[in-house]
Amino acid sequence: AYQLMIMVSRELRREVIKSFRLLHRACKDVFRNDGEMFDAVMKRLREEFQKNKSVTSEEEISKLVTQAHSTEKFLRQNIVQAVYKGDNTYKLMLTKDTYLRDNLPPPKK
């Protein structure tokens, strides 16, 4: 039983590290043209992981890992950088992961 517990703990540790790397890569991709924002987001990411460093419940750790994966998906699909081109014009920096929703028709009166 003890050996199994160690194996599970190692697996969870790997998952936590994997989720941090996943989020780091997502931030790097999403904020690639904005060093200031990337630094701020990475600082917050490190703070969140440090804050939860003492969590020992496997169930809670699994929830946090799941939340990290959801956050990574949200970042990739919903955060879009815009570059000011002058004359009140911006260029959206879309990626292959950007979720593009269809425009809804205006409501009928």
Side-chain angles (χ1 to χ4, degrees):
Y2 178 73
Q3 190 70 16
L4 180 61
M5 192 171 95
I6 290 174
M7 286 174 51
V8 170
S9 295
R10 283 184 188 153
E11 187 60 35
L12 269 177
R13 179 177 163 74
R14 270 188 233 129
E15 284 298 312
V16 169
I17 292 168
K18 181 180 171 184
S19 67
F20 181 86
R21 287 180 179 152
L22 197 67
L23 280 167
H24 182 270
R25 274 188 233 110
C27 291
K28 215 164 124 178
D29 292 344
V30 170
F31 301 109
R32 102 180 126 260
N33 297 320
D34 190 345
E36 187 176 336
M37 184 57 76
F38 173 75
D39 291 343
V41 170
M42 285 308 300
K43 180 181 181 214
R44 177 66 189 269
L45 178 62
R46 284 188 292 276
E47 287 171 356
E48 287 299 313
F49 272 76
Q50 282 295 322
K51 182 176 82 175
N52 293 304
K53 186 175 161 180
S54 60
V55 174
T56 56
S57 161
E58 290 183 9
E59 184 178 335
E60 189 62 29
I61 293 170
S62 292
K63 285 180 186 176
L64 290 166
V65 167
T66 300
Q67 182 180 355
H69 286 269
S70 296
T71 301
E72 182 264 346
K73 185 177 179 180
F74 177 85
L75 283 169
R76 288 189 181 279
Q77 291 182 343
N78 297 290
I79 304 297
V80 177
Q81 293 284 291
V83 177
Y84 184 67
K85 293 298 196 178
D87 196 31
N88 287 333
T89 306
Y90 291 84
K91 178 181 180 184
L92 295 179
M93 306 303 287
L94 303 177
T95 68
K96 63 179 178 53
D97 298 312
T98 304
Y99 180 63
L100 301 173
R101 293 168 179 86
D102 290 332
N103 287 333
L104 296 175
K108 295 181 180 176
K109 294 182 179 186

